[in-house]
Amino acid sequence: MKVLGICGHSGSGKTTLIEKLLPLLRQRGLRVHVIKHSHHDVVLEPPQKDSSRFRAAGAGDVMLVTPYRYAIMHELRDTPEPSLSECLHRLSPADLVLVEGFKREPIPRLEVYRPANGKPALYPQDSGILAVASDVTAPEAAPHWLMLNDTDKIVNWIFDKIYANH
């Protein structure tokens, strides 16, 4: 599977960009998965529901299956958080995996950068960032620069530089 990290400071628009890219990548015939890494404890189901009760009672894995989707919740308990590689191996086959988070992993990344957020760009200190999608024009000495609102060009870049060439 090809992997592309989508990085940037909080509030830069990473999730919104991924939402816009997914249908365009699917139109190109790609099966795309997304891994979202979070440092927060996420509640996937209210504590009083059966699957939460099973996990609280000590189950290691609980699979919740409906006619629309399934989810496997795995309690880490005292084991370490899985690496990106371990997460990728747990996914079904795909053409491309977009990763939001895991910013220290050695994968190619696209930075979403909005100077109006008041936070510095990441690309000057991160050689893994191959391109930047921004709402401003490129400064000098920037890597490949894409306009954030031009999702067609961003998809072309992903297809040409990440999917087709690696």
Side-chain angles (χ1 to χ4, degrees):
M1 287 188 283
K2 310 296 182 191
V3 178
L4 174 65
I6 306 294
C7 65
H9 290 288
S10 179
S12 62
K14 300 179 299 289
T15 300
T16 301
L17 178 61
I18 291 170
E19 282 180 306
K20 290 178 180 179
L21 294 176
L22 286 167
L24 298 173
L25 290 164
R26 286 181 46 106
Q27 285 175 3
R28 292 260 185 131
L30 300 182
R31 182 171 180 178
V32 183
H33 294 329
V34 177
I35 294 177
K36 164 70 178 175
H37 183 260
S38 177
H39 294 287
H40 306 287
D41 186 10
V42 177
V43 177
L44 300 176
E45 192 174 34
Q48 70 275 13
K49 292 295 189 177
D50 296 351
S51 62
S52 291
R53 292 172 58 197
F54 298 149
R55 288 184 297 109
D61 283 352
V62 175
M63 180 182 276
L64 176 61
V65 181
T66 74
Y68 310 101
R69 68 192 56 87
Y70 71 88
I72 300 173
M73 288 156 280
H74 176 83
E75 290 296 317
L76 293 177
R77 309 257 182 242
D78 294 326
T79 60
E81 178 180 315
S83 67
L84 176 58
S85 177
E86 291 170 311
C87 293
L88 290 168
H89 282 91
R90 291 181 177 148
L91 293 175
S92 61
D95 300 304
L96 176 66
V97 179
L98 300 177
V99 177
E100 185 178 335
F102 285 105
K103 61 185 172 189
R104 300 202 193 323
E105 290 285 334
I107 58 173
R109 283 184 299 292
L110 168 70
E111 178 180 1
V112 178
Y113 174 58
R114 292 180 188 264
N117 282 355
K119 298 175 184 167
L122 301 173
Y123 71 85
Q125 288 79 37
D126 188 339
S127 62
I129 295 173
L130 304 181
V132 176
S134 183
D135 56 355
V136 299
T137 56
E140 288 186 34
H144 191 82
W145 202 267
L146 301 157
M147 294 309 295
L148 193 51
N149 63 351
D150 194 344
T151 51
D152 287 329
K153 281 192 180 174
I154 296 172
V155 166
N156 287 340
W157 178 83
I158 291 171
F159 196 82
D160 295 342
K161 302 298 180 196
I162 303 302
Y163 179 70
N165 287 335
H166 283 30

